[in-house]
Amino acid sequence: MTEKATSEAPACGLEETTSESAHVPLTEPFGDTAAPQAPGGEQAPGGQQASDPQESAPQPPDPAASAAPAGPAATDPALPREDVPSAPLLLAVEDVSDSSVTVSWEPPERLGRLGLQGYVLELRREGEAPKIRVPRHLRQTYIRQVGESINLQIPFQGNPKPQALWTHNGHALDSQRVSVRTGDQDSILFIRSAQRSDSGCYELTVQLKGLEAKAAINILVIEKPGPPRSIRLLDVWNCNATLEWTPPQDTGNTELLGYTVQKADKKTGQWFTVLERCHPTSCTVSDLIVGNSYSFRVFSENLCGLSASAAVTKELAHIVKTDIVAKPKSFVERDFSEAPSFTQPLADHTSTPGYSTQLSCSVRASPKPKIIWMKNKMDIQGDPKYRALSEQGVCTLEIRKPSPFDSGVYTCKAINVLGEASVDCRLEVKASATH
């Protein structure tokens, strides 16, 4: 006697019947990708696939597509053959409505040592429009260096398997340089060693029953730039040097990030970086050492790094010490010539006999005047009793141990080429009192 079981879920439990069926709502989303093959190798008609949860897990679908619900055995390790049941028999569609489909099948011939735990029912939609899922890192320009490999794996959806076609800048691919492998769920474009000519727009077209989907991937293959074409030393002043250069002829198939400027002292020959990623094509290098001579070189730089060589200045920049030249101001020399004049006259003096006495006055004259001392208008020069001194314009007459006889009028006279002047004073030597 045969009994029939019907279920609304994609998986149903084991029943003691010889025939089983499942009722699947058509509105339930079971995924958009092709269903994986069952371990027994049988695929349900119309895209339905039945498998046991204890069998080896099916091949996982592309991550871009949503898969049908799987049983707990999807994560279990593979079991020995005697433990795995065979595929269900006589899978058939019994009824189809606007929102559901009813399918039935017979239990498998081999139940396995552990017996059946249930069935897994999978759904695959037929005749859908194809879809392409471009990975996130390929949605912007994909940059590679010359010599690196290019490996693009682009997932797509479509049932049955759609046709995939690649083009490069609107033309067919060069089969000698580019290889393409298209599977059920993706298409892989591979270039072993990229060249700059491989840059451009690669378009993938997926076609299915008159419907198609397109995706464009922009690839840029770059390399290091060439060096600046020329460099000149424009000017050297104080501790500064001004340089100017010409942009490189080859930028490496991408824009430049700037220039790196280096200097080298002639004595040591070691290069030191003074500027990095300088955008203008000229610069001024400062803080150079006085007495040294310098060479300069400039590298170009892009995303791949600095250029393999640099532009080097042919002449040296000599940093010399600036000579200081004194420029005296012109002036009229002043004439200091002056006739003698006394700034301090002689003063009357009273002295005691036997005690030396000094008479002093000060005179100013240019040129230096001749000094003459007189007593009572008589020249006393050469008399050993008197000693005349003249220093820094101060004139002094020393009278040694005067006596009353030395009293009188003393005169100091100054004479030079411009004239003469004189001053007088009275000296009184008092005699000692007698008893």
Side-chain angles (χ1 to χ4, degrees), residues 375-391:
K375 175 187 174 186
N376 297 329
K377 297 183 180 181
M378 298 294 293
D379 191 350
I380 58 175
Q381 292 185 108
D383 191 335
K385 190 175 183 66
Y386 305 99
R387 188 175 68 163
L389 302 173
S390 179
E391 186 177 359

Side-chain angles (χ1 to χ4, degrees), residues 5-12 20-24 101-105 121:
T6 303
S7 173
E8 294 291 335
C12 56
E20 301 187 16
S21 64
H23 181 74
V24 182
V101 58
T102 301
V103 294
S104 65
W105 60 89
L121 191 64

Side-chain angles (χ1 to χ4, degrees), residues 108-122:
E109 294 181 354
R110 186 179 70 253
L111 299 181
R113 187 175 62 179
L114 301 179
L116 286 179
Q117 307 252 342
Y119 297 94
V120 175
L121 191 64
E122 295 181 339

Side-chain angles (χ1 to χ4, degrees), residues 165-175 178:
L165 175 66
W166 285 90
T167 59
H168 178 207
N169 294 331
H171 303 286
L173 299 180
D174 182 0
S175 58
V178 185

Side-chain angles (χ1 to χ4, degrees), residues 316-333:
L316 296 176
H318 303 283
I319 309 302
V320 249
K321 185 176 182 180
T322 306
D323 294 332
I324 301 176
V325 180
K327 295 182 179 179
K329 296 182 179 179
S330 59
F331 63 95
V332 179
E333 186 176 359

Side-chain angles (χ1 to χ4, degrees), residues 177-198:
R177 292 195 40 78
V178 185
S179 60
V180 174
R181 185 190 65 81
T182 301
D184 293 338
Q185 298 178 348
D186 59 20
S187 183
I188 299 176
L189 182 144
F190 179 75
I191 302 176
R192 183 174 301 277
S193 179
Q195 301 297 325
R196 287 169 59 167
S197 58
D198 296 323

Side-chain angles (χ1 to χ4, degrees), residues 111-319:
L111 299 181
R113 187 175 62 179
L114 301 179
L116 286 179
Q117 307 252 342
Y119 297 94
V120 175
L121 191 64
E122 295 181 339
L123 170 67
R124 182 174 68 185
R125 300 181 185 274
E126 295 285 348
E128 281 188 293
K131 296 179 182 178
I132 300 176
R133 305 292 291 271
V134 180
R136 184 180 300 275
H137 70 282
L138 296 178
R139 296 177 188 173
Q140 53 189 0
T141 301
Y142 185 56
I143 300 177
R144 304 297 288 170
Q145 294 188 27
V146 170
E148 294 182 341
S149 63
I150 297 177
N151 190 4
L152 306 182
Q153 183 176 9
I154 310 300
F156 58 77
Q157 296 174 344
N159 188 31
K161 175 184 175 181
Q163 292 182 347
L165 175 66
W166 285 90
T167 59
H168 178 207
N169 294 331
H171 303 286
L173 299 180
D174 182 0
S175 58
Q176 295 182 352
R177 292 195 40 78
V178 185
S179 60
V180 174
R181 185 190 65 81
T182 301
D184 293 338
Q185 298 178 348
D186 59 20
S187 183
I188 299 176
L189 182 144
F190 179 75
I191 302 176
R192 183 174 301 277
S193 179
Q195 301 297 325
R196 287 169 59 167
S197 58
D198 296 323
S199 302
C201 178
Y202 288 80
E203 187 175 63
L204 172 63
T205 302
V206 177
Q207 298 176 341
L208 178 63
K209 295 183 179 180
L211 302 175
E212 67 177 22
K214 294 185 177 183
I217 295 98
N218 292 312
I219 297 179
L220 181 63
V221 182
I222 63 176
E223 61 183 338
K224 290 184 177 181
R229 283 178 285 179
S230 63
I231 182 172
R232 290 191 304 148
L233 184 63
L234 292 183
D235 192 15
V236 179
W237 78 101
N238 295 336
C239 296
N240 309 292
T242 300
L243 308 172
E244 184 181 54
W245 58 89
T246 307
Q249 187 172 3
D250 182 11
T251 62
N253 205 28
T254 183
E255 63 180 10
L256 294 178
L257 298 179
Y259 301 92
T260 295
V261 182
Q262 295 182 343
K263 66 177 180 180
D265 184 358
K266 183 181 178 182
K267 297 178 182 178
T268 62
Q270 295 181 351
W271 292 98
F272 297 93
T273 299
V274 293
L275 287 173
E276 289 183 318
R277 293 194 176 180
C278 171
H279 293 284
T281 56
S282 62
C283 72
T284 298
V285 182
S286 304
D287 300 328
L288 302 177
I289 299 175
V290 173
N292 290 353
S293 298
Y294 292 91
S295 294
F296 301 94
R297 67 182 183 183
V298 179
F299 292 88
S300 307
E301 183 180 2
N302 63 9
L303 287 174
C304 293
L306 298 179
S307 56
S309 58
V312 186
T313 53
K314 295 181 180 179
E315 62 272 18
L316 296 176
H318 303 283
I319 309 302

Side-chain angles (χ1 to χ4, degrees), residues 351-373:
S351 180
T352 305
Y355 293 94
S356 297
T357 300
Q358 289 182 345
L359 303 178
S360 298
C361 62
S362 60
V363 65
R364 183 176 66 187
S366 180
K368 185 178 181 180
K370 178 182 179 182
I371 304 300
I372 300 175
W373 285 95

